Amino acid sequence: MHETARDVEVWQIELRKPGDRDERRAALRLALARRLGGDPSEIRLISGPHGKPALADPVDGLHFSSSSSGRCCLIAVTTIGPIGIDVERVVPRKYLERIAARRFAPEEAAAIADRRGESALRAFYNCWTRKEAYLKATGTGLTAPLDGVVVSVDDERPAILALRDDDPGAWFLAAVSPARDLIGAVAVRLGDYPAGEPAVRLRALELPLTA
């Protein structure tokens, strides 16, 4: 099944070596080849602003983003508009409330502080991945302040609540759950997208043995 103008494709690829740059690039070429057709080895990638991968030969209207945590690599591809994706493995963190108070917006930090245990931990990672997905979609990444993006933190419907220099209504935000111990988010600018919401389709790919 090919992506339509109303879709966001998210490809999940398991890396053999956690965080390996060459494998991440191979995974990205594989996912893009599924969208564009042809041999993945023929897709040439370059480093764009802030190190974000870009096509050496740009394809008009094609947008993509990638993220990895451990062996899990996620790649989002769409023709809707600029897109960002982030995935993080949920691991216990010391000083969770202190980190949230220092890095997040006050209302987000308060929402996390109101929770305990697993609920607080998931709220923290929901907040982090949703912010980073948006910032990656804008092209700034973590060079921009995290508290300039205010998002929901619970497991229910993700939302961008406020932006310092942008319109939250111009964006679509969705949760991506590749595994129980992984939390992910994808953000896409809707532009002149028609009424309704994009379909986010999570699919699995395998790296070839020669990757």
Side-chain angles (χ1 to χ4, degrees):
M1 184 184 298
H2 291 288
E3 184 220 25
T4 72
R6 298 182 64 83
D7 287 341
V8 174
E9 280 188 321
V10 178
W11 296 101
Q12 179 180 352
I13 300 174
E14 187 172 347
L15 304 175
R16 299 186 188 95
K17 302 175 183 177
D20 184 88
R21 182 180 184 275
D22 290 338
E23 284 195 349
R24 293 202 312 268
R25 287 296 179 105
L28 182 53
R29 288 193 295 268
L30 182 63
L32 290 173
R34 286 297 183 100
R35 178 65 180 86
L36 299 172
D39 192 319
S41 65
E42 297 175 354
I43 294 177
R44 296 188 301 122
L45 298 169
I46 59 175
S47 293
H50 307 294
K52 183 177 181 179
L55 287 170
D57 303 304
V59 175
D60 188 43
L62 183 70
H63 305 273
F64 60 91
S65 178
S66 65
S67 179
S68 66
S69 182
R71 297 178 65 185
C72 177
C73 180
L74 296 184
I75 298 158
V77 185
T78 193
T79 55
I80 295 171
I83 192 167
I85 192 166
D86 188 51
V87 63
E88 301 288 344
R89 189 169 301 279
V90 179
V91 295
R93 282 179 173 267
K94 291 183 178 180
Y95 315 116
L96 192 72
E97 292 182 16
R98 188 182 304 176
I99 296 171
R102 188 173 69 247
R103 302 295 302 277
F104 296 165
E107 52 266 59
E108 295 165 335
I112 293 169
D114 282 343
R115 292 165 166 80
R116 294 291 180 270
E118 181 71 14
S119 177
L121 191 62
R122 291 189 62 83
F124 176 89
Y125 281 102
N126 283 337
C127 190
W128 185 280
T129 56
R130 293 168 189 180
K131 287 171 177 289
E132 188 162 351
Y134 166 80
L135 292 172
K136 289 173 73 172
T138 65
T140 59
L142 293 179
T143 61
L146 286 175
D147 60 0
V149 185
V150 183
V151 298
S152 60
V153 304
D154 52 28
D155 284 332
E156 282 69 45
R157 182 182 176 85
I160 298 176
L161 304 177
L163 295 170
R164 183 168 295 168
D165 301 307
D166 204 347
D167 174 17
W171 290 87
F172 170 71
L173 185 67
V176 181
S177 302
R180 182 176 177 83
D181 62 340
L182 292 165
I183 286 179
V186 59
V188 59
R189 181 180 283 280
L190 296 174
D192 57 359
Y193 190 78
E197 293 184 344
V200 178
R201 307 182 187 279
L202 180 63
R203 298 174 179 144
L205 278 176
E206 290 187 8
L207 283 174
L209 294 177
T210 56

Short mmCIF file of all heavy atoms in Angstrom, two decimals, residues 119-154:
data_model
loop_
_atom_site.label_atom_id
_atom_site.label_comp_id
_atom_site.label_asym_id
_atom_site.label_seq_id
_atom_site.Cartn_x
_atom_site.Cartn_y
_atom_site.Cartn_z
N SER A 119 3.08 7.00 35.96
CA SER A 119 2.31 8.06 35.31
C SER A 119 3.15 9.31 35.09
O SER A 119 3.10 9.94 34.03
CB SER A 119 1.07 8.39 36.14
OG SER A 119 0.34 9.45 35.56
N ALA A 120 3.95 9.70 36.09
CA ALA A 120 4.82 10.87 35.97
C ALA A 120 5.90 10.63 34.92
O ALA A 120 6.24 11.53 34.14
CB ALA A 120 5.45 11.20 37.32
N LEU A 121 6.45 9.42 34.90
CA LEU A 121 7.50 9.10 33.94
C LEU A 121 6.98 9.16 32.52
O LEU A 121 7.63 9.75 31.63
CB LEU A 121 8.05 7.71 34.24
CG LEU A 121 9.34 7.29 33.52
CD1 LEU A 121 10.49 8.21 33.89
CD2 LEU A 121 9.67 5.83 33.86
N ARG A 122 5.82 8.60 32.27
CA ARG A 122 5.24 8.64 30.93
C ARG A 122 4.89 10.07 30.53
O ARG A 122 5.07 10.47 29.37
CB ARG A 122 4.01 7.74 30.84
CG ARG A 122 4.33 6.25 30.93
CD ARG A 122 3.09 5.41 30.60
NE ARG A 122 2.63 5.65 29.25
CZ ARG A 122 3.13 5.05 28.18
NH1 ARG A 122 4.12 4.18 28.29
NH2 ARG A 122 2.63 5.31 26.98
N ALA A 123 4.39 10.85 31.47
CA ALA A 123 4.07 12.25 31.18
C ALA A 123 5.32 13.01 30.76
O ALA A 123 5.30 13.83 29.83
CB ALA A 123 3.41 12.91 32.38
N PHE A 124 6.44 12.74 31.45
CA PHE A 124 7.70 13.39 31.11
C PHE A 124 8.12 13.05 29.67
O PHE A 124 8.46 13.95 28.89
CB PHE A 124 8.79 12.95 32.08
CG PHE A 124 10.15 13.49 31.77
CD1 PHE A 124 10.56 14.70 32.28
CD2 PHE A 124 11.03 12.79 30.96
CE1 PHE A 124 11.82 15.22 31.99
CE2 PHE A 124 12.29 13.29 30.66
CZ PHE A 124 12.68 14.50 31.17
N TYR A 125 8.07 11.77 29.32
CA TYR A 125 8.49 11.38 27.97
C TYR A 125 7.49 11.80 26.91
O TYR A 125 7.88 12.11 25.77
CB TYR A 125 8.74 9.87 27.92
CG TYR A 125 10.06 9.48 28.51
CD1 TYR A 125 10.15 8.94 29.79
CD2 TYR A 125 11.24 9.67 27.79
CE1 TYR A 125 11.37 8.59 30.33
CE2 TYR A 125 12.47 9.32 28.34
CZ TYR A 125 12.52 8.78 29.60
OH TYR A 125 13.75 8.44 30.14
N ASN A 126 6.20 11.81 27.24
CA ASN A 126 5.22 12.36 26.31
C ASN A 126 5.57 13.81 25.98
O ASN A 126 5.56 14.23 24.82
CB ASN A 126 3.81 12.30 26.90
CG ASN A 126 3.19 10.92 26.86
OD1 ASN A 126 3.58 10.09 26.05
ND2 ASN A 126 2.23 10.67 27.74
N CYS A 127 5.85 14.57 27.02
CA CYS A 127 6.17 15.98 26.85
C CYS A 127 7.42 16.16 26.01
O CYS A 127 7.45 16.94 25.05
CB CYS A 127 6.34 16.62 28.23
SG CYS A 127 6.47 18.41 28.23
N TRP A 128 8.46 15.41 26.35
CA TRP A 128 9.75 15.57 25.66
C TRP A 128 9.63 15.22 24.17
O TRP A 128 10.08 15.98 23.30
CB TRP A 128 10.80 14.68 26.32
CG TRP A 128 12.16 14.88 25.73
CD1 TRP A 128 12.65 14.34 24.57
CD2 TRP A 128 13.20 15.70 26.25
NE1 TRP A 128 13.94 14.78 24.34
CE2 TRP A 128 14.29 15.61 25.36
CE3 TRP A 128 13.31 16.49 27.39
CZ2 TRP A 128 15.49 16.29 25.58
CZ3 TRP A 128 14.50 17.17 27.61
CH2 TRP A 128 15.58 17.07 26.70
N THR A 129 9.03 14.06 23.86
CA THR A 129 8.99 13.62 22.46
C THR A 129 8.09 14.52 21.62
O THR A 129 8.40 14.77 20.44
CB THR A 129 8.51 12.16 22.36
OG1 THR A 129 7.24 12.01 23.00
CG2 THR A 129 9.52 11.22 23.00
N ARG A 130 7.01 15.01 22.19
CA ARG A 130 6.12 15.89 21.43
C ARG A 130 6.78 17.22 21.11
O ARG A 130 6.65 17.75 19.99
CB ARG A 130 4.81 16.08 22.19
CG ARG A 130 4.01 14.80 22.29
CD ARG A 130 2.85 14.86 23.28
NE ARG A 130 2.29 13.52 23.46
CZ ARG A 130 1.28 13.24 24.25
NH1 ARG A 130 0.69 14.21 24.95
NH2 ARG A 130 0.84 11.99 24.37
N LYS A 131 7.52 17.76 22.08
CA LYS A 131 8.26 18.99 21.83
C LYS A 131 9.32 18.78 20.75
O LYS A 131 9.45 19.57 19.80
CB LYS A 131 8.94 19.46 23.12
CG LYS A 131 8.03 20.05 24.18
CD LYS A 131 8.83 20.25 25.47
CE LYS A 131 8.02 20.91 26.56
NZ LYS A 131 7.76 22.34 26.28
N GLU A 132 10.10 17.71 20.91
CA GLU A 132 11.20 17.50 19.97
C GLU A 132 10.68 17.20 18.57
O GLU A 132 11.29 17.62 17.58
CB GLU A 132 12.12 16.39 20.45
CG GLU A 132 13.37 16.29 19.60
CD GLU A 132 14.50 15.54 20.24
OE1 GLU A 132 14.43 15.21 21.44
OE2 GLU A 132 15.49 15.28 19.53
N ALA A 133 9.57 16.48 18.45
CA ALA A 133 9.00 16.23 17.13
C ALA A 133 8.67 17.55 16.44
O ALA A 133 8.97 17.75 15.25
CB ALA A 133 7.76 15.35 17.25
N TYR A 134 8.03 18.46 17.17
CA TYR A 134 7.71 19.78 16.59
C TYR A 134 8.98 20.53 16.20
O TYR A 134 9.08 21.08 15.10
CB TYR A 134 6.88 20.60 17.57
CG TYR A 134 6.80 22.06 17.18
CD1 TYR A 134 5.92 22.48 16.19
CD2 TYR A 134 7.64 23.00 17.76
CE1 TYR A 134 5.88 23.82 15.80
CE2 TYR A 134 7.60 24.33 17.38
CZ TYR A 134 6.72 24.73 16.39
OH TYR A 134 6.70 26.05 16.00
N LEU A 135 9.95 20.58 17.10
CA LEU A 135 11.17 21.34 16.84
C LEU A 135 11.96 20.75 15.67
O LEU A 135 12.56 21.49 14.88
CB LEU A 135 12.03 21.40 18.10
CG LEU A 135 11.44 22.22 19.24
CD1 LEU A 135 12.28 22.06 20.51
CD2 LEU A 135 11.34 23.70 18.86
N LYS A 136 11.94 19.44 15.51
CA LYS A 136 12.60 18.83 14.36
C LYS A 136 11.86 19.18 13.08
O LYS A 136 12.48 19.37 12.02
CB LYS A 136 12.69 17.32 14.55
CG LYS A 136 13.69 16.92 15.63
CD LYS A 136 13.67 15.45 15.93
CE LYS A 136 14.31 14.63 14.84
NZ LYS A 136 14.44 13.21 15.24
N ALA A 137 10.54 19.26 13.14
CA ALA A 137 9.77 19.62 11.95
C ALA A 137 10.07 21.04 11.50
O ALA A 137 10.08 21.34 10.30
CB ALA A 137 8.27 19.45 12.22
N THR A 138 10.32 21.92 12.45
CA THR A 138 10.64 23.31 12.09
C THR A 138 12.07 23.45 11.59
O THR A 138 12.43 24.48 11.03
CB THR A 138 10.45 24.26 13.29
OG1 THR A 138 11.40 23.93 14.32
CG2 THR A 138 9.04 24.17 13.84
N GLY A 139 12.90 22.43 11.83
CA GLY A 139 14.29 22.48 11.39
C GLY A 139 15.24 23.01 12.43
O GLY A 139 16.45 23.02 12.21
N THR A 140 14.73 23.44 13.58
CA THR A 140 15.62 24.02 14.60
C THR A 140 16.15 22.97 15.56
O THR A 140 17.25 23.11 16.10
CB THR A 140 14.88 25.09 15.42
OG1 THR A 140 13.74 24.50 16.05
CG2 THR A 140 14.41 26.23 14.52
N GLY A 141 15.38 21.91 15.79
CA GLY A 141 15.80 20.90 16.75
C GLY A 141 15.96 21.51 18.13
O GLY A 141 15.32 22.51 18.48
N LEU A 142 16.84 20.91 18.92
CA LEU A 142 17.00 21.35 20.31
C LEU A 142 17.84 22.60 20.45
O LEU A 142 18.22 22.98 21.56
CB LEU A 142 17.60 20.20 21.13
CG LEU A 142 16.67 19.00 21.31
CD1 LEU A 142 17.36 17.91 22.13
CD2 LEU A 142 15.35 19.39 21.94
N THR A 143 18.15 23.28 19.33
CA THR A 143 18.78 24.59 19.44
C THR A 143 17.76 25.64 19.92
O THR A 143 18.14 26.70 20.39
CB THR A 143 19.36 25.04 18.09
OG1 THR A 143 18.30 25.13 17.11
CG2 THR A 143 20.41 24.05 17.60
N ALA A 144 16.47 25.34 19.78
CA ALA A 144 15.41 26.24 20.24
C ALA A 144 15.02 25.87 21.67
O ALA A 144 15.12 24.71 22.07
CB ALA A 144 14.20 26.16 19.33
N PRO A 145 14.56 26.83 22.47
CA PRO A 145 14.17 26.54 23.85
C PRO A 145 12.94 25.66 23.92
O PRO A 145 11.95 25.88 23.22
CB PRO A 145 13.90 27.93 24.45
CG PRO A 145 13.61 28.81 23.27
CD PRO A 145 14.43 28.27 22.14
N LEU A 146 13.00 24.64 24.80
CA LEU A 146 11.88 23.71 24.92
C LEU A 146 10.63 24.37 25.48
O LEU A 146 9.51 23.95 25.18
CB LEU A 146 12.29 22.55 25.82
CG LEU A 146 13.25 21.51 25.23
CD1 LEU A 146 13.64 20.50 26.29
CD2 LEU A 146 12.63 20.81 24.04
N ASP A 147 10.80 25.39 26.33
CA ASP A 147 9.62 26.00 26.94
C ASP A 147 8.85 26.91 25.99
O ASP A 147 7.81 27.45 26.36
CB ASP A 147 9.98 26.74 28.23
CG ASP A 147 10.97 27.87 28.00
OD1 ASP A 147 11.39 28.10 26.85
OD2 ASP A 147 11.34 28.54 28.98
N GLY A 148 9.34 27.08 24.77
CA GLY A 148 8.60 27.84 23.77
C GLY A 148 7.53 27.02 23.08
O GLY A 148 6.77 27.54 22.25
N VAL A 149 7.48 25.73 23.39
CA VAL A 149 6.49 24.81 22.84
C VAL A 149 5.74 24.18 24.02
O VAL A 149 6.35 23.54 24.86
CB VAL A 149 7.16 23.69 22.01
CG1 VAL A 149 6.10 22.82 21.35
CG2 VAL A 149 8.12 24.27 20.99
N VAL A 150 4.44 24.38 24.09
CA VAL A 150 3.65 23.83 25.19
C VAL A 150 2.75 22.73 24.62
O VAL A 150 1.98 22.97 23.69
CB VAL A 150 2.79 24.91 25.87
CG1 VAL A 150 2.02 24.32 27.05
CG2 VAL A 150 3.66 26.07 26.33
N VAL A 151 2.86 21.53 25.20
CA VAL A 151 2.11 20.37 24.70
C VAL A 151 1.34 19.70 25.83
O VAL A 151 1.62 19.93 27.01
CB VAL A 151 3.06 19.34 24.04
CG1 VAL A 151 3.77 19.95 22.84
CG2 VAL A 151 4.07 18.80 25.05
N SER A 152 0.40 18.85 25.46
CA SER A 152 -0.25 18.01 26.45
C SER A 152 0.73 16.94 26.90
O SER A 152 1.66 16.58 26.17
CB SER A 152 -1.51 17.36 25.85
OG SER A 152 -1.15 16.57 24.73
N VAL A 153 0.54 16.40 28.10
CA VAL A 153 1.50 15.43 28.63
C VAL A 153 0.88 14.07 28.92
O VAL A 153 1.61 13.12 29.23
CB VAL A 153 2.19 15.96 29.90
CG1 VAL A 153 2.88 17.29 29.63
CG2 VAL A 153 1.22 16.08 31.07
N ASP A 154 -0.44 13.96 28.84
CA ASP A 154 -1.06 12.68 29.18
C ASP A 154 -1.04 11.74 27.97
O ASP A 154 -0.66 12.11 26.87
CB ASP A 154 -2.48 12.87 29.71
CG ASP A 154 -3.34 13.71 28.77
OD1 ASP A 154 -3.09 13.71 27.55
OD2 ASP A 154 -4.27 14.36 29.27
#
